[in-house]
Amino acid sequence: MAINDEKARWSYLAQEARTGRLYLDSAVAAECRDVCNRQIDLYTKLRENLKQIVNVTGLGNFSCADELAKMLGAKAIGGDGDVDAALKEHLEVITLIRDTIQVSVEMYEAQDAANAAEQDKLLD
């Protein structure tokens, strides 16, 4: 599935969560949110590491080696279909997923607190 389709899907689900039409089990949602956070951290670190491999060296003293080094560096950052852009797009989707899950967790916790307060009123 295309990344734009995933963005649209998770934007829709985020709106559903904000309006209270999407609920996830709080334990499962919390675990998924934590996994998303770990993935976001990993992709962020990978994007930082890409900066170290933009300037490829050690391919020899040939003009074709220089061109190959430029091409490989562009595949890391800035070129057509570069890894950095792909990671950035995936980060956007994972952030949408995480934020959607977080809304669901917060709504679940708020509902749970409201239910507990109502139960306390009944018991008093």
Side-chain angles (χ1 to χ4, degrees), residues 11-103:
S11 292
Y12 169 77
L13 291 172
Q15 182 60 32
E16 291 293 294
R18 282 190 288 278
T19 59
R21 292 188 295 261
L22 175 68
Y23 283 97
L24 303 171
D25 177 86
S26 64
V28 173
E31 175 103 12
C32 289
R33 179 200 55 212
D34 294 344
V35 168
C36 286
N37 283 331
R38 287 193 299 272
Q39 200 68 25
I40 288 167
D41 290 344
L42 173 66
Y43 283 6
T44 301
K45 288 175 188 169
L46 288 172
R47 287 188 74 205
E48 285 296 316
N49 290 342
L50 283 174
K51 294 174 185 174
Q52 297 173 7
I53 61 172
V54 170
N55 298 316
V56 177
T57 60
L59 298 176
N61 293 328
F62 307 100
S63 61
C64 63
D66 294 339
E67 287 300 314
L68 179 60
K70 287 178 189 174
M71 184 180 71
L72 292 172
K75 277 297 181 187
I77 298 176
D80 188 34
D82 66 317
V83 175
D84 185 57
L87 287 172
K88 182 178 182 261
E89 287 182 332
H90 286 289
L91 271 166
E92 290 172 9
V93 173
I94 293 169
T95 301
L96 274 171
I97 293 169
R98 191 249 348 249
D99 293 349
T100 301
I101 291 168
Q102 182 60 34
V103 168

Side-chain angles (χ1 to χ4, degrees), residues 107-121:
M107 302 246 339
Y108 184 91
E109 289 171 350
Q111 185 63 50
D112 194 40
N115 290 345
E118 282 297 314
Q119 187 175 24
D120 288 346
K121 285 180 189 177

